[in-house]
Amino acid sequence: SSGINAEYGEIFFRCLFGIMSFLCSTFAFQRLPVGEVTVIISIAPIFTAIGSKVILKDQFKPVHFVCIILCVSGVIMVVDPKKLVNHASLDIFAVSVALMQPI
């Protein structure tokens, strides 16, 4: 009986986070250019790697740090760097919501 309740709790939270993720991406697509939102959402593996280190205490090898740096560098190159410096051209709140989507 307690196993069934635990499964319902797990399913509930998976659904809750899935809905929140969908809402974040929808909001970001409404406020930002499609290409930039797609790049921001595509950095989910970076958050997964960092989360596995912080939450699950996984071991990080130097290659993991190199890969994270390469991914972040690629995102900066794909997103127009002038827009990252000139905050007036991007909706900062929408960027923050887009960054919450992969989490």
Side-chain angles (χ1 to χ4, degrees), residues 13-29 37 41 44 97-103:
F13 282 111
R14 288 184 79 181
C15 291
L16 180 68
F17 285 111
I19 290 169
M20 289 183 347
S21 173
F22 174 75
L23 292 175
C24 287
S25 61
T26 302
F27 179 80
F29 276 117
V37 176
I41 289 174
V97 170
L99 284 171
M100 289 189 314
Q101 190 275 338
I103 297 174

Side-chain angles (χ1 to χ4, degrees), residues 1-10:
S1 176
S2 65
I4 293 173
N5 290 337
E7 282 184 28
Y8 284 136
E10 182 179 323

Side-chain angles (χ1 to χ4, degrees), residues 24-44:
C24 287
S25 61
T26 302
F27 179 80
F29 276 117
Q30 290 176 347
R31 303 283 178 127
L32 296 170
V34 174
E36 292 176 7
V37 176
T38 303
V39 170
I40 292 171
I41 289 174
S42 297
I43 63 173

Side-chain angles (χ1 to χ4, degrees), residues 49-60:
I50 294 170
S52 70
K53 171 66 177 158
V54 173
I55 296 170
L56 301 175
K57 308 291 187 227
D58 281 351
Q59 291 183 356
F60 250 44

